[in-house]
Amino acid sequence: MADIIKLLPDHVANQIAAGEVVQRPASVVKELLENAIDAGATAIKLIIKDGGKSLIQVVDNGVGMSATDARLSFERHATSKIKSAEDLFNLNTKGFRGEALASIAAIARVDLQTKTADEEIGTAIEIEGSEIKSQEVVVTPQGTSLAVKHLFFNIPARRNFLKSDSVELRHITDEFHRVALAHPSIAFNYYNNGSELFNLPQSNFRQRIVNIFGKKSNEKLVPVEEETQVVKVSGFICKSEFAKKSRGEQYFFVNNRFIKSHYLHYAVLAAFEGLIKPGMHPGYFLNLEVDPSSIDINIHPTKTEIKFDDEQTLYAILRSTIKHSLGQFNVAPTLDFEHDNNLQTPYGYKDKNAVLPKVTVDSTFNPFAEETKVTSSSSPKSPTSSFSSYKKPSTESWESLYVETPSREDKSSGFGNLSFESEVSTKSIFDDSDDDLDTAAITFQLKRKYIVTTIKSGMVVIDQGRAHQRVLYEKFLKTVTLNEGLSQQLLFPIQLSFSLSEIDILNEIKDNLTTMGFVFGEISESVVEINGIPPMVAEAEVGSIFDELMADCQQNVGADGFSQADVLSKALCKSLAVKTGDVLDKLSQAALVNDLFACTESMVSPFNKPIYVTITENDIDKKFI
């Protein structure tokens, strides 16, 4: 039998490895920025075009590379970060695998220019699909400039799976935030299609957070500081009133490396227990410094997952540290049993003496004594002479109290001519109609989750939340398509705070939101003013609706108007639909059933989940066999 196992060519192996290392343009940005930091750069520029599909360029002023190192850096498993397997447990650099540049060069066109401080001229290398096209000397400043062009040009299938430019740009911005926050001592510049998005000078950690997320974020931050033998915790947490339903501003850094840890996230949630509502997520920017030998980074190529030797101890320390900061800065309520607020004296009355009140009292006054007529012959010295006696009102003619008394202007006017408001009626969440009365008699709510109604062949059990989502979804799509959105003007505008990235998303979807009925006022760097809302939206729910809207739009908003309208309609219907546990009256149940089966698609929700099940009479009969 002939041998069938073959050794893969290098360019094929590199393309396979690139599938793990390079998932999208943001992955390339992460690897290049980390290489620049490992090179000792103090200033880094990131240049993006077309969401990273056309160009990703990183320019740094680090140590640079010699001609030999520049050529060798694109080989697989070639690195200057480690030399032996033991070095994996004492890592002080971002990269160590030696796979990033080889993977990037296998799926893109790469231009490299680099020079060290000792050399007068630098090296320029052009690579296309792992094949070196040219290598020559070039005049360039100290450091490295690496440009990645036409990502996935030789793998069309992977390129077609990329999202729109705006979505890919947001993923790049997220990676930029993570790297920039972890290294506030390095200056960063970020350009997109020729315009500057961020200019971050060298600063401390707090100022770096403010420069990225806006000036409003400064008032949210609460310092956290604790040092133990196991870990040193530093950074900031956001106050409880700024917690959101969506996860946005949650950052863990272990030894200046961004990580994702659900376990540590629950430690933060445990510290905020009782201060935030269930389902809300507080913001935090926490640095953890641990012994490099106590963690294992070599788990995933993205290096965002870390294994700790003693996670339980880290959990307890982190939870107690955050609780201490919340109490120290009066974010959490405290009880002081030695302090009495009633004994506090205002500063303006501190040096004043007490003054007796000047009150005249008739000590002989008796409201139950018989009335005595005061005459002119009475003694002026009598204490009762200056006070009128109390007279109990007579109840003999009590009917006269209810006799209409005509006014001077109109003798005929009285209470009979006054008009009163009718009793306030609470409108159902659904539009009622006479046609619903027949259906209302044969519907009932089961477990505050399902609506059961009868049909000719048996009965139908409807999920009330999914049914309402379908009804609202088609209403919103129709509103956007026909541009017939109604708006309810607010007496007092609502002001909502957002980060810079969320403001960009809002500007992108503003037109579609306006069509749906939202009226926007002034939009600044971090504050949005809302002057009008759709009639079906409650004013108290606007903040939570926009939080969920931003969370959904960060991942799903497309470039074309239809996909935007679809995402917005899904986000709004999910926020506004009735939930499990909501009690519906008979007419609301009937209206929901009628509206559902009037929809274009009534079987599945906007999220492709079944809305109802049918139980026939035969199915019921089988249960009694």
Side-chain angles (χ1 to χ4, degrees), residues 87 262 350 540:
D87 295 338
H262 295 290
K350 185 176 181 180

Side-chain angles (χ1 to χ4, degrees), residues 490-496 521 528-532 539:
L490 298 175
L491 184 60
F492 300 102
I494 300 175
Q495 291 188 342
L496 302 176
V528 175
E529 188 179 83
I530 300 176
N531 297 325
E539 184 177 348

Side-chain angles (χ1 to χ4, degrees), residues 56 110 126 269 279 303 343 419 435 457 496 506 508 597:
I56 300 173
V110 179
E126 293 184 8
L269 291 180
K303 298 183 286 290
L343 301 179
S419 61
D435 298 337
S457 60
L496 302 176
L506 188 61
E508 187 177 345
F597 290 105

Side-chain angles (χ1 to χ4, degrees), residues 21-37:
V21 178
V22 183
Q23 300 173 359
R24 61 195 328 154
S27 305
V28 177
V29 171
K30 174 182 180 295
E31 299 293 342
L32 297 185
L33 289 178
E34 290 182 347
N35 283 343
I37 293 171

Side-chain angles (χ1 to χ4, degrees), residues 126-146:
E126 293 184 8
I127 301 177
E128 182 176 321
S130 296
E131 182 181 350
I132 297 179
K133 296 295 184 180
S134 66
Q135 178 176 350
E136 55 187 14
V137 296
V138 67
V139 177
T140 183
Q142 177 186 343
T144 302
S145 171
L146 200 149

Side-chain angles (χ1 to χ4, degrees), residues 147-163:
V148 179
K149 304 176 182 178
H150 307 296
L151 194 65
F152 297 122
F153 79 99
N154 53 353
I155 311 178
R158 288 292 301 275
R159 188 175 180 89
N160 292 335
F161 276 103
L162 295 179
K163 303 294 184 181

